[in-house]
Amino acid sequence: MIPGVNPRQMKAMMKKLGMKSEDIEDVEKVVIYTKSGNYVFDNAEIVATTMQGMTTYQINGNPRFEEGEVEIPQEDITLVSEQAQVGKDEAKEALKASGGDIAEAIIKLSE
């Protein structure tokens, strides 16, 4: 907010600049998915701003981070299973424990 400018004046100024701002109501949850985990915003406040045909979204709230499970490709499981001479379930668990590091998983299983 600009000091000394009331909300009505602010909307008029934005309109002159070709901007439109709108609150998105009743948002229950926003999740941003990343490879390392997810950022979860419960009861977030979302403002959509459109300018020159492009809409941007502003998220206001306190996120919590949920660690993601490492995705293990089937080929990696097969490789570790064959190299360490163990079952595929055991190979998959070793890969999860090593964060997907194939060499580390094989070494741990071979000890």
Side-chain angles (χ1 to χ4, degrees):
M1 193 58 77
I2 301 172
V5 177
N6 68 41
R8 181 192 272 153
Q9 291 171 318
M10 180 63 99
K11 281 201 173 213
M13 289 170 41
M14 289 175 66
K15 190 173 183 176
K16 283 184 182 180
L17 292 171
M19 294 176 67
K20 178 183 167 196
S21 182
E22 165 186 9
D23 290 337
I24 298 176
E25 302 293 331
D26 301 322
V27 174
E28 293 181 17
K29 184 187 289 189
V30 174
V31 181
I32 299 173
Y33 297 94
T34 69
K35 287 184 179 183
S36 60
N38 305 324
Y39 293 89
V40 181
F41 296 79
D42 292 307
N43 301 314
E45 295 176 14
I46 311 296
V47 177
T49 304
T50 304
M51 182 172 172
Q52 297 178 347
M54 177 167 275
T55 303
T56 58
Y57 297 86
Q58 179 179 338
I59 303 169
N60 296 311
N62 294 317
R64 68 179 190 281
F65 185 75
E66 295 177 349
E67 295 220 9
E69 215 176 280
V70 178
E71 285 193 34
I72 308 297
Q74 192 61 44
E75 332 51 271
D76 292 359
I77 295 169
T78 302
L79 177 63
V80 170
S81 174
E82 290 171 357
Q83 292 295 314
Q85 298 177 351
V86 297
K88 291 192 178 195
D89 290 339
E90 196 174 348
K92 185 175 183 177
E93 289 306 312
L95 281 162
K96 283 184 180 180
S98 69
D101 186 312
I102 295 171
E104 184 180 330
I106 292 169
I107 290 168
K108 283 186 179 181
L109 289 169
S110 299
E111 292 176 342

